[in-house]
Amino acid sequence: MKVFVIQGPTRLEGEVRISGAKNSTLKLMAAALMVPGEVVLERVPQITDVELMADVLRRLGATVQRENGRLVIDSSGELCEEAPYELVTKMRASIQVLGPLLARLGHARVAMPGGDAIGSRPIDIHLRGLERMGAKFTTEHGYVEGLCDRLQGVNTLLEFPSVGATENILMAAVLAEGRSVIENAAREPEIQDLCAFLNNAGARIGGVGTPTITVDGVDQLHSAEHSIDPDRIEAGTYAIAAVATQGDVTLVDCEPSHLELPLMKLEDAGAEVTRGEGRVRVRMDRRPTTLDLVTLPFPGFPTDLQPPMMVLLSQARGSSILTENVFESRFLFVDELNRMGAHIRVEGHHAVIRGVEQLSGAPVRSPDIRAGAALVVGGLCADGRTEVYDAGHIERGYEQFVDKLTGLGAEISLESA
Ligand code: UD1
């Protein structure tokens, strides 16, 4: 098992270059299955989830080659329709191949992803949307199997602006017959990135970045190249870490407009934030002020930045309330943080955080990507040695985490336990 070992406290200082967005890359890779030709993705982060998605695509019949930060995907050969359990279980985002396979082959058999450490994660909204377009699903032996003739464009109202459901339905709609309208669609920047790529490959998607997406189906997509947007969650993690450690960090190659609410909240906490073209400087010279925070779909505060924000508020002067509205079990790591001296009480989907002056280093366990990164931020703030076990989770989503943090002055290493 891998473990991050951190010696704190540290004040983070310097510049950090932001990688391409994990959550865009995974969906763009799935979308490449709809292109009977070569897709070239630039600025692809070197993280485990990308390797896992590459394995899923290879299993489905595509070729995937990595050349430094580029990924070349060729789905022009014969594809197969089955994404097996041993791959889907390692990464939930594999479910995003469902829409592309149905659109391209009229047949998809994908293992049901099941829940994970942040909660039960059903796919009912995905399936309902695809059914309305003409797909018929059966679920047996842990697999969901869909069959269809050419999908038909329809109007769909999502009961919740699910990111994954919006993406699956919109990818299917791209090759459907006629016009589809997706209402109450998710507006996350990663969806905008996906739409930009698809339009570049010949799709006709309008209303991008709004809650109403319209898709005029086309018969076929063509080869395309696309450079992936910066990872707003990675950027937000470093920005929050800078404030939590009372440091001075400049995020380089990021997109400040994707981070507006997190940056506003950091300002509310007392940080000085300077926004520039593709860069943001975040400075803090005292303990944070308390604040209340609610996670919501974009442009609300992202649920993926809730865990590091919890670490920041655990050192505020006074009490804060953090409300989690997107994933039911996202407070599971609170017990780990309390082991580091935090005072956090969870009541349903609210966490009451009583700030302490100093966290103290301790061995803790990373339950998932974002909570794991947050525990590392906790370790940077804490006095003494922190060991974050199950570090493999963090490597799923953060490129060169140790190098980037070391570059900012952290004492951190990745070891085997
Ligand atoms: C994506 C992101 C994840 C982020 C989340 C919310 C990827 C790979 N992951 O996950 O990092 O935290 O968006 O911004 O991009 N739901 C249903 N039925 C469905 C689909 C979703 O009830 O069919 C519920 C989920 O259980 C959850 C909520 O809707 O409570 C949000 O899920 P969703 O927006 O779909 O997140 P993901 O696409 O899984």
Side-chain angles (χ1 to χ4, degrees):
M1 187 201 294
K2 290 181 177 174
V3 51
F4 281 121
V5 178
I6 306 131
Q7 191 66 41
T10 316
R11 181 171 186 269
L12 294 185
E13 230 174 331
E15 280 194 358
V16 60
R17 194 165 297 280
I18 301 307
S19 300
K22 167 180 94 75
N23 288 351
S24 288
T25 308
L26 300 177
K27 321 310 170 57
L28 287 160
M29 292 174 74
L33 290 169
M34 299 199 299
V35 179
E38 209 171 76
V39 166
V40 179
L41 300 178
E42 307 269 3
R43 201 183 184 186
V44 174
Q46 186 114 38
I47 49 176
T48 331
D49 269 11
V50 168
E51 286 164 32
L52 287 170
M53 189 55 114
D55 287 344
V56 172
L57 296 192
R58 288 188 189 108
R59 187 64 167 258
L60 293 170
T63 62
V64 184
Q65 282 172 318
R66 183 162 195 126
E67 302 158 2
N68 301 318
R70 292 172 111 216
L71 215 52
V72 182
I73 303 168
D74 189 339
S75 308
S76 55
E78 199 175 325
L79 297 184
C80 104
E81 75 287 350
E82 179 165 319
Y85 179 71
E86 70 267 21
L87 291 178
V88 177
T89 191
K90 288 190 193 145
M91 191 188 53
R92 219 188 158 275
S94 320
I95 195 67
Q96 298 309 138
V97 302
L98 190 60
L101 287 178
L102 280 174
R104 173 104 184 256
L105 303 177
H107 190 186
R109 192 166 183 273
V110 180
M112 299 278 283
D116 60 17
I118 62 175
S120 124
R121 296 176 77 173
I123 53 166
D124 53 316
I125 306 175
H126 303 232
L127 298 186
R128 210 169 306 137
L130 296 168
E131 260 168 359
R132 285 180 57 79
M133 298 172 80
K136 300 252 179 302
F137 289 103
T138 48
T139 45
E140 257 178 1
H141 309 299
Y143 279 76
V144 56
E145 182 158 12
L147 284 170
C148 59
D149 297 326
R150 185 168 181 193
L151 292 165
Q152 299 297 310
V154 288
N155 285 16
T156 304
L157 170 63
L158 304 188
E159 66 180 76
F160 181 86
S162 151
V163 173
T166 301
E167 291 163 341
N168 247 331
I169 296 166
L170 112 81
M171 287 192 280
V174 160
L175 293 180
E177 188 168 5
R179 171 170 278 211
S180 299
V181 180
I182 309 170
E183 288 185 80
N184 198 23
R187 285 184 278 166
E188 269 65 5
E190 294 76 28
I191 294 180
Q192 301 176 33
D193 210 8
L194 174 64
C195 291
F197 161 74
L198 287 167
N199 279 342
N200 201 0
R204 292 167 59 204
I205 307 172
V208 176
T210 77
T212 305
I213 297 178
T214 52
V215 186
D216 286 303
V218 296
D219 291 338
Q220 194 164 317
L221 295 178
H222 54 72
S223 293
E225 292 193 15
H226 183 79
S227 177
I228 289 161
D229 274 352
D231 195 314
R232 68 193 165 102
I233 304 300
E234 187 202 25
T237 304
Y238 287 111
I240 296 169
V243 178
T245 60
Q246 299 185 26
D248 180 353
V249 170
T250 301
L251 314 173
V252 181
D253 284 351
C254 68
E255 178 45 68
S257 67
H258 293 170
L259 276 170
E260 200 35 48
L261 202 50
L263 294 178
M264 270 169 58
K265 286 291 174 186
L266 292 178
E267 286 172 321
D268 289 349
E272 194 180 318
V273 177
T274 317
R275 298 156 179 81
E277 186 69 34
R279 20 189 330 127
V280 178
R281 182 173 178 189
V282 183
R283 275 177 286 181
M284 183 71 161
D285 57 7
R286 61 197 129 107
R287 274 178 74 187
T289 310
T290 60
L291 49 91
D292 293 343
L293 191 76
V294 177
T295 66
L296 283 171
F298 189 83
F301 192 92
T303 172
D304 285 349
L305 289 179
Q306 176 260 101
M309 206 62 187
M310 181 95 82
V311 173
L312 172 76
L313 295 177
S314 73
Q315 298 163 89
R317 286 183 189 278
S319 295
S320 307
I321 298 180
L322 210 156
T323 303
E324 173 57 60
N325 282 323
V326 182
F327 285 110
E328 67 205 28
S329 307
R330 223 164 187 173
F331 287 147
L332 284 180
F333 82 109
V334 161
D335 288 341
E336 300 298 302
L337 199 52
N338 282 341
R339 299 191 62 253
M340 298 177 73
H343 278 285
I344 305 170
R345 203 179 68 241
V346 172
E347 287 177 9
H349 62 133
H350 305 288
V352 181
I353 309 155
R354 187 151 54 83
V356 297
E357 191 164 348
Q358 175 84 66
L359 296 175
S360 73
V364 289
R365 192 165 292 278
S366 155
D368 68 81
I369 307 177
R370 308 302 172 189
L375 289 168
V376 170
V377 175
L380 297 171
C381 302
D383 187 34
R385 178 183 166 100
T386 294
E387 290 154 14
V388 181
Y389 288 86
D390 278 343
H393 284 302
I394 304 171
E395 294 188 299
R396 288 182 49 190
Y398 289 86
E399 185 176 48
Q400 297 178 328
F401 200 42
V402 167
D403 290 350
K404 289 187 182 185
L405 285 172
T406 306
L408 295 173
E411 270 186 61
I412 177 169
S413 57
L414 183 60
E415 296 178 12
S416 295

